[in-house]
Amino acid sequence: MSRLQNQPTLRVDTNKPLSFTYKKKTFSGFKGDTVASALFSGGIRIFSRSLKYHRPRGLYSLDGECSNTGMEVNGIPNVNAEKTLLEKGMQVKAQNVKGSPELDAMGFMDSLDRAMPAGFYYRTMHKPARIWPIALQQVRKAAGLGKISPDFRMTGEFDEIFPTTDVCVIGGGPSGMTAAIAAAETGLRVILLEARPWLGGFFDYRQSEFSRDLPHYQRARELEARMQTLPNIRVFTHTAMVGAYSNNLVTAFQIGNEKDPFDERYLEIRAQSMIVATGCIERPLLFENNERPGVMQIACAHRLANTYGILPGKRAVFSVAHDLGIEAALDLFDAGIEIAAVADIRDNPSHAALVSELEQREIPYLKGWVAREALGAPLKSVSLTTLQGTFEKKLECDLLVASAGMTPVTGPLSMAQAELAFDQHTGFFLPKSLPVGVYAAGRLLGLNDSRAIEASGQVAGLSAALNCGKASAQALKDAQEMLAGRPQAERGCNLVMAPVKGRKAFICFDEDTTVKNIKQAIDMGFDATELIKRFTAAGTGPGQSGIPGHNLPLLVAQHHTDHGALTRPTTMRAPLVPTLMATYAGTNHLMSKRTPMHERQKQDGGVMRKIGVWNRARYFSDDFSCRREIENIRNNVGMLDATTLGKFRIFGPDALKALQRVYVGDMAKISPGKIKYSAMCNEDGCIIDDGVVVQRGENDYYFTTSTARAGITVEWIRYHTRYDGWDFNLVNLTDAFGVINLAGPKAREVLSEVIDADISNAAFPFAAYQEFTALDTIPVRIMRLGFVGELSYELHVPGSWMETLWDALSEAGKPFGIANFGLETQNVLRMEKGHLIIGSESEQRTTLHDVGLGGLWDRNKPAVDTVGAVALQQTENQEKRLKLVGFKMKNTRTPPKDGSIVVDDRIRGHVCIARYSHTLQEAVGMALVEDPLHAVGTEISIYEDECQGQLVSATVVPMPFYDPKGERLRS
Amino acid sequence: MALTLTCPVCGKRNGYEFRYGGEDKGPKPDDFGSSPETWCDYVHMNRCVAGIQKEWWCHRDGCGVWFTTHRDTLKNLEME
Amino acid sequence: MTDIKRRSPMVFPQEAKQVEKQGHWAVVMEYASEGEGPWIIDLSHRPRWDLQDSDLSRFKPFEIDIPGKPGQCRLENNVLANRMNRTQVSLWQLTGDRLETPEDTAFTSTMDVTVCLAILGQAVFSIAEKLSSLDFRDPALSTPRLFQGPFAHVPCQMVIAGQPDGMPGMLLTCSRGYARDMVAAILHAGHEFKLQPAGQLAFDKWVAGLA
């Protein structure tokens, strides 16, 4: 179809054709077309079939207020074709049809509407109950619109930005632009969001006069040019608002153009003031077959011609209730469409001048008439009636422009917590009250005069600026006066439905809900609009209430006697427009931590696992029992990267007091050159951490925590001293030091290759702490600890030196059989020693005494209100607590799974860890069990999942299992 | 997160930067430890004010300071 | 025989044009094709300290008068002092021969605690806007300015310095363990602006321009 030439409002570039495929044929459009406008220009009138009745659907709003043009584009379902810009090579397919939209084999469903009253699925398909699973299958097949394969992989670039601004303006029409300009002129930072790919709003496509010799579309471009001269306005087009939250947090998503490095991006904007200038959509006119292809809203028909250069039909009938309808009729007549009649619901139109222009063109103008039925699919004729139903008229046409008048776009306003109330004069839901920092402007206030619309934008912009501390009260007063001098909000049309029964008057297109269905719901006792919405499904489709949004509460209000006092649109929730999941996911950087030895360990065969935020090596072989690594440590020497351990410096006059507060031991009793092992508990006396403390100087300590607690320790200590006003300082050194655990009988020999000092057992015994220099250069803090039960050194080396020291130890250890070991090996070794890992051998409710560490608590240390002391005292002799015990399996070398439960006549505890120990040649483990089961010698029964009722037996034995005297680690 | 909180060191920030530290119950009263019940009440029981509440927050993702502020729990907004 | 080397947690694959041995560090002075900016520059080898005391007024670290309010910064003799809170200052020696850690126990060396990098160029704000909601462009704040808050979901210290219409820049430190993922996030965000690694020379020149 050829396009209208000489349209100065055209937004398509007829010099840039773009071809695409649909129904296995090649179609052509232009740059600037949407998929829908290009298909329409190619002759397509039926775009889809509706959800329930499979009724043919076509272009209606051109803004995606319904999902009539929901199609599959490039494999992605439910794409709204009328909002999607055409790109070369797109593959477009129809959805929800058996055959084609023109000849859908499911079309017979339309005649079954009597069998499907409102809410029929709630009442029919589960009686008797056994038919529901079958019904469910069938409903699943019939329901839904698009299809997607679970293997579908989304491609594209999805980005995100988090800008801060002073004023955020939603809507780039005339009032949005004047608001942005007014605010920006005071020097504030302004962000303006516009959902369409271009600015201009309802000025953009109109050649009617804004002022003498200045058509509306040119006025819009003037405003846009003015905005471009203000560098403090950031304009985002093709950016739809998605949500608004407290403290003026606005979310939106932007569709990228071909120059942008993203396909879509998510915006999260924090503003001081927010202006909603989202304008109006049309309130759909309800009559029989009001959703036939060929029935269009005013702006849809008008913009097809003026924005896209496409004639929406050959011969039209208009049934409107607003001057914009008359303006559109005049424009379309001048563009070449025959107009059979313009029926106007109002019998007192605002502008006599417009009506006289109809007369000049000899277009019949019917005051007080309205469409009652659209006939023919495709549309062939329309039946009109007077409002009182006294007379009827049938006119032939292929286009019916139908509209019950304008209605404000209230979604963004209500998300911004505006309170809406119905206004009788305008027929609009107007903001009755707005929260501080939120302002409204433009057509959505009911204004129709172009200058008034602009002036209201200025008022909003200056009010928003005043809220940010800029702009003078005087400037605002002047703007308000100017607004007051213009025509105020216009009387609107209150008609909801033509005088028809409504069996095929669709109040919601997406869900195929008719006015008859609404009446059925009301007859069943539903009275609240929210409940009627849910029961009939009206407004729950992808159009997100674009069609029924305001008609539904107005229709319901007609039935009620409260005269619409509580009439409100149903609650709007984010996202206000359908948004791709990929857009919400954004760039999704996964931030995790690595130790300096990460790459080296991987090269050495390390199998890495995530532990909280860290990546750590769990295994160094395919054998996850780690037998070789374990034996190597018991016999030779191994190296583990323990860098993730929490490490802290605490210093200052009250450092000791702070330590005493959080550690259960008496921290005053730290001997020089020795570590002190202690634990931290919470206020319930439950163990939350263990670690070692050394004193490095006067009021100067260095202490370690578990990996899991490293990130929270400073917070914990500050929290538990928040009322004291103590003078102490903390530095988190967790990342500052790499930690190398050198363990095994040959560890000393390896270490002496890099340390030139006396590290004999006499000079540097178990539990000692000393600072050395390795390789004559590297400062290293060394502790002798015994977590894995062998001679073992924990080397704390500055992170930037770690690789050098590690490599040196690896080399030095070769003759001694040195090898890496990972967390699983460490896990088994420490289990053999009965050493606990918090969170494994303890639960949230496990106290210090429960795990046998009550000895760490010094109840006599000077009173400092140690965290946990009260509860420790109250629970130490409590009965029926779960206690940590060691056990040995009977009659089997197979250990039970970690987490298996211990039972007798009921659950008595659980297995914390169990492994087959190659060292001991027995299956052993640790469990938390209730008394009386924790006595040594007790036989316990263990239930594993999937054990088919076969319990396994174990005996409680003393710990440690391995080297009970601790000779190995003290050697 | 839409909630904003005013850190005394860093100024007004996104709620996500903070960790909630509970209602301000003040330092321990003298009789706190008289029985496990009174101790548990002190540690765990909250008044759960429907209205303006004084509470502790930590600027975990920022300067790390612990501070108190007042928040209207019905609107989930910090008081100015 | 093992090389006695100190290593930065940031490594770029780009070809280095000039590398200088500074103590045990191998510092890239210049990469082969740095372009015009924006740049990301590794500063992990530069000395940094934490200074904490209940009475900071008794200190004048490296001859610098400590700024009075949290968020304020002072650059003197190539050392940047950032007031973090009532009792704490971070000190970063940006260029020049490495100073020793002062004797007073109030100082802790934090060079190994953090990764330190610079993002230089006009695009720094557009890059930062993708990774953080902090308002680095707040017109009410003067530079240099310290921000403590999340960047790519990681708590960081960030200093904004330089001329907004010349070459603005951000100096950033965060826990050393996050270096790899932080650099990856920044490079990803900076890709559309042609962010490239640059060496110490480009950074030294920028610092000289700050004075």
Side-chain angles (χ1 to χ4, degrees), chain A residues 157-160 162 584-592 610, chain C residues 127-132 151-154 178 180-191:
Chain A
E157 289 293 317
F158 297 90
D159 208 351
E160 55 209 15
F162 304 90
Y584 273 121
T587 31
N588 204 26
H589 294 290
L590 294 170
M591 305 300 283
S592 68
K610 283 286 296 291
Chain C
I127 294 170
E129 190 175 67
K130 293 194 195 185
L131 298 171
S132 177
F151 195 84
H153 308 295
V154 168
Y178 280 117
R180 183 191 177 274
D181 285 351
M182 178 60 73
V183 169
I186 294 171
L187 286 174
H188 186 271
H191 181 72

Side-chain angles (χ1 to χ4, degrees), chain A residues 245-247 249 268 270 683-684 711-712 714-716 718-719 722-723 865-866 868 870-871 874 878, chain B residues 1-4 14 19 21 24-28 32-33 35-36 39 43-44 56 58 60 66 77:
Chain A
Y245 306 89
S246 54
N247 297 308
L249 188 76
E268 199 174 278
R270 180 74 75 179
E683 301 277 37
D684 292 321
I712 203 174
V714 169
E715 228 178 273
W716 178 262
R718 289 286 179 201
Y719 180 75
R722 66 195 185 286
Y723 293 116
D865 286 339
T866 299
V870 172
Q874 290 174 348
Q878 209 172 37
Chain B
M1 190 184 191
L3 172 69
T4 58
N14 250 341
R19 181 196 308 281
D24 178 43
K25 298 180 190 175
K28 286 196 284 263
F32 59 81
S35 72
W39 180 238
V43 174
H44 294 294
W56 284 91
C58 173
R60 179 199 57 206
W66 277 102
L77 288 174

Side-chain angles (χ1 to χ4, degrees), chain A residues 189 234 592 649 735 800 804, chain C residues 5 105 112 129 135 177 181:
Chain A
R189 293 183 285 175
R234 292 176 73 176
S592 68
R649 178 185 181 204
D735 287 58
S800 57
T804 298
Chain C
K5 280 209 295 234
T105 54
D112 284 283
E129 190 175 67
D135 190 11
D181 285 351

Side-chain angles (χ1 to χ4, degrees), chain A residues 820-952:
Chain A
N820 284 309
F821 68 102
L823 290 176
E824 175 55 19
T825 301
Q826 183 194 52
N827 196 22
V828 177
L829 292 168
R830 64 96 197 170
M831 177 205 67
E832 291 172 350
K833 291 292 294 181
H835 290 154
L836 89 157
I837 287 178
I838 290 165
S840 174
E841 283 66 51
S842 70
E843 301 178 294
Q844 297 272 31
R845 55 181 172 168
T846 309
T847 67
L848 202 61
H849 295 106
D850 293 340
V851 291
L853 290 177
L856 290 180
W857 172 42
D858 190 330
R859 78 187 71 213
N860 294 317
K861 69 179 180 178
V864 281
D865 286 339
T866 299
V867 179
V870 172
L872 283 173
Q873 207 212 339
Q874 290 174 348
T875 58
E876 69 178 319
N877 295 313
Q878 209 172 37
E879 285 174 357
K880 296 263 190 289
R881 296 196 63 87
L882 296 178
K883 300 285 188 190
L884 189 67
V885 301
F887 65 85
K888 183 170 69 173
M889 297 308 290
K890 275 181 86 163
N891 310 323
T892 178
R893 290 152 74 98
T894 311
K897 294 186 205 157
D898 293 354
S900 305
I901 48 175
V902 175
V903 295
D904 52 24
D905 59 344
R906 38 177 238 271
I907 296 174
R908 293 292 191 174
H910 70 273
V911 171
C912 304
I913 179 176
R915 295 284 188 276
Y916 177 74
S917 162
H918 294 286
T919 313
L920 308 162
Q921 310 229 317
E922 280 179 328
V924 295
M926 294 194 267
L928 280 166
V929 293
E930 247 182 62
D931 73 49
L933 295 180
H934 43 74
V936 166
T938 311
E939 194 171 302
I940 57 174
S941 299
I942 298 169
Y943 180 104
E944 286 185 281
D945 62 334
E946 292 166 31
C947 72
Q948 318 283 10
Q950 296 275 59
L951 303 177
V952 286

Side-chain angles (χ1 to χ4, degrees), chain C:
Chain C
M1 193 47 224
T2 316
D3 253 335
I4 315 263
K5 280 209 295 234
R6 299 188 81 156
R7 287 177 170 88
S8 163
M10 275 170 74
V11 175
F12 294 113
Q14 280 82 354
E15 189 193 328
K17 183 163 137 192
Q18 186 197 344
V19 178
E20 199 178 275
K21 273 208 71 168
Q22 296 177 0
H24 296 276
W25 293 97
V27 177
V28 176
M29 303 307 285
E30 198 180 342
Y31 285 89
S33 40
E34 287 183 349
E36 293 304 310
W39 290 319
I40 177 171
I41 302 172
D42 177 20
L43 301 170
S44 303
H45 52 275
R46 299 299 316 171
R48 302 185 287 292
W49 301 274
D50 174 90
L51 166 60
Q52 270 186 81
D53 194 273
S54 55
D55 181 12
L56 284 174
S57 67
R58 55 184 195 85
F59 291 89
K60 208 169 167 188
F62 310 112
E63 306 301 312
I64 305 176
D65 284 314
I66 297 171
K69 288 210 188 90
Q72 289 177 333
C73 308
R74 192 161 282 143
L75 175 64
E76 247 162 73
N77 304 319
N78 296 321
V79 177
L80 185 62
N82 312 309
R83 187 67 182 258
M84 290 165 66
N85 54 55
R86 185 180 60 88
T87 58
Q88 198 172 10
V89 183
S90 63
L91 297 151
W92 303 343
Q93 191 199 1
L94 302 181
T95 66
D97 292 332
R98 290 180 174 73
L99 297 165
E100 292 295 314
T101 303
E103 288 265 320
D104 198 303
T105 54
F107 292 84
T108 316
S109 166
T110 52
M111 186 169 65
D112 284 283
V113 175
T114 55
V115 55
C116 183
L117 54 90
I119 307 172
L120 304 182
Q122 281 286 320
V124 64
F125 297 115
S126 302
I127 294 170
E129 190 175 67
K130 293 194 195 185
L131 298 171
S132 177
S133 63
L134 295 173
D135 190 11
F136 297 115
R137 275 186 273 209
D138 187 349
L141 303 173
S142 59
T143 57
R145 177 79 194 178
L146 171 72
F147 290 81
Q148 298 177 82
F151 195 84
H153 308 295
V154 168
C156 296
Q157 282 189 39
M158 294 144 288
V159 172
I160 301 290
Q163 301 302 336
D165 39 7
M167 188 174 250
M170 175 191 287
L171 303 171
L172 180 148
T173 63
C174 70
S175 287
R176 197 180 204 274
Y178 280 117
R180 183 191 177 274
D181 285 351
M182 178 60 73
V183 169
I186 294 171
L187 286 174
H188 186 271
H191 181 72
E192 69 171 280
F193 308 103
K194 304 199 177 21
L195 181 73
Q196 288 289 326
Q200 190 73 37
L201 287 176
F203 183 68
D204 290 349
K205 194 162 154 211
W206 179 77
V207 174
L210 293 178

